[in-house]
């Protein structure tokens, strides 16, 4: 199988300026670039820029997938929408990380599975299915952050005595974006079901 990588960025809170679009175009001559979106795929080579840097400077959401099993998702939110301490309570590993960049909190979720057969036929729809989660998080729905914590547990990043963050309500009834999130990041369903059952019995 040949190499394949897909990159998609979206700007939500403000459109890109003409100067910013020119800066992005200087990095890639093939990408589709609009005032709110950058998309490109590579069958050889890769993006000649650091997605983390672009998230700090230009964009509010980012999705990456590669056919060797890497799936990555990032959201950028202002402090007023997500307290950094709350973000770090859940996203405190490598599979799910929260960091502060200026006046924003950036959430990063990573899943690695070389044996995975999960794929998308229409990659252009991938980030659109997940983007509503950013507004949900800003509105106080922390289920995506808790799924990020479960992803770290699944990756074996924590010791047995690791303190579990508060389990938000509604894990038994995931929205369509949360289902897409769990599928994209390959969160173990048995682990999720056990967490939901534990929350219901608390």
């Amino acid at each position: 199988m040949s190499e394949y990588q897909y990159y998609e960025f979206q700007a939500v809170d403000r459109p890109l300026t003409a100067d910013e679009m020119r800066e992005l175009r200087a990095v890639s001559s093939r990408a589709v670039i609009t005032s709110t979106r950058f998309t490109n795929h590579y069958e050889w080579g890769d993006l000649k820029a650091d997605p983390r840097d672009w998230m700090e400077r230009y964009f509010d959401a980012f999705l990456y997938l590669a056919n060797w099993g890497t799936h990555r998702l990032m959201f950028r939110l202002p402090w007023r929408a997500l307290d950094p301490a709350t973000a770090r309570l859940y996203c405190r590993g490598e599979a799910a990380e929260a960091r502060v960049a200026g006046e924003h909190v950036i959430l990063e979720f990573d899943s690695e599975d070389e044996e995975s057969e999960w794929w998308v036929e229409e990659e252009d729809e991938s980030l659109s299915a997940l983007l509503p989660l950013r507004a949900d998080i800003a509105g106080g729905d922390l289920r995506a952050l808790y799924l990020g914590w479960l992803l770290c547990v699944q990756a074996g990043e924590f010791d047995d005595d690791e303190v579990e963050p508060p389990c938000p309500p509604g894990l038994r009834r995931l929205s369509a974006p949360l289902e897409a999130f769990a599928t994209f990041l390959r969160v173990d369903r048995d682990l999720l079901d056990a967490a939901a059952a534990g929350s219901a019995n608390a």
Side-chain angles (χ1 to χ4, degrees):
M1 181 184 297
S2 62
E3 179 179 297
Y4 182 92
Q5 298 180 79
Y6 175 75
Y7 295 81
E8 180 176 355
F9 298 84
Q10 287 200 35
V12 179
D13 289 345
R14 68 165 183 86
L16 300 170
T17 67
D19 285 343
E20 288 172 333
M21 292 173 67
R22 280 192 290 270
E23 291 169 7
L24 298 175
R25 178 59 69 196
V27 174
S28 176
S29 60
R30 294 177 51 249
V32 176
I33 301 174
T34 71
S35 62
T36 59
R37 196 163 177 250
F38 174 105
T39 62
N40 204 1
H41 74 271
Y42 298 83
E43 297 177 11
W44 62 88
D46 53 18
L47 181 69
K48 303 305 181 186
D50 184 350
R52 288 187 166 199
D53 178 56
W54 278 17
M55 285 295 291
E56 293 181 10
R57 297 174 60 191
Y58 305 115
F59 295 104
D60 301 301
F62 167 66
L63 178 143
Y64 168 84
L65 59 86
N67 64 348
W68 55 77
T70 300
H71 294 177
R72 181 169 298 127
L73 179 69
M74 295 187 204
F75 292 127
R76 183 180 72 170
L77 297 97
W79 284 12
R80 66 180 182 275
L82 177 63
D83 178 60
T86 299
R88 287 170 171 159
L89 185 63
Y90 293 89
C91 302
R92 55 178 190 254
E94 294 184 6
E97 174 191 1
R99 70 181 189 278
V100 173
E103 298 180 353
H104 293 89
V105 179
I106 298 178
L107 306 172
E108 180 173 347
F109 306 95
D110 288 281
S111 174
E112 303 281 349
D113 186 355
E114 294 181 0
E115 303 301 321
S116 175
E117 296 180 356
W118 189 90
W119 191 247
V120 287
E121 296 296 332
E122 298 293 338
E123 69 269 344
D124 285 351
E125 299 300 321
S126 299
L127 187 51
S128 296
L130 296 163
L131 192 58
L133 292 175
R134 181 178 181 271
D136 292 344
I137 294 168
D141 186 342
L142 301 180
R143 287 179 292 175
L145 303 192
Y146 187 83
L147 291 183
W149 184 81
L150 286 181
L151 190 64
C152 293
V153 172
Q154 180 177 317
E157 296 183 12
F158 299 142
D159 296 329
D160 292 340
D161 59 354
E162 182 76 15
V163 177
E164 180 178 355
C167 186
L171 286 180
R172 287 185 178 275
R173 301 177 303 280
L174 298 184
S175 63
L178 279 169
E179 286 285 359
F181 180 85
T183 299
F184 181 73
L185 293 173
R186 297 168 290 214
V187 176
D188 184 90
R189 290 294 170 158
D190 290 338
L191 190 62
L192 176 56
D193 290 343
S199 175
N201 295 329

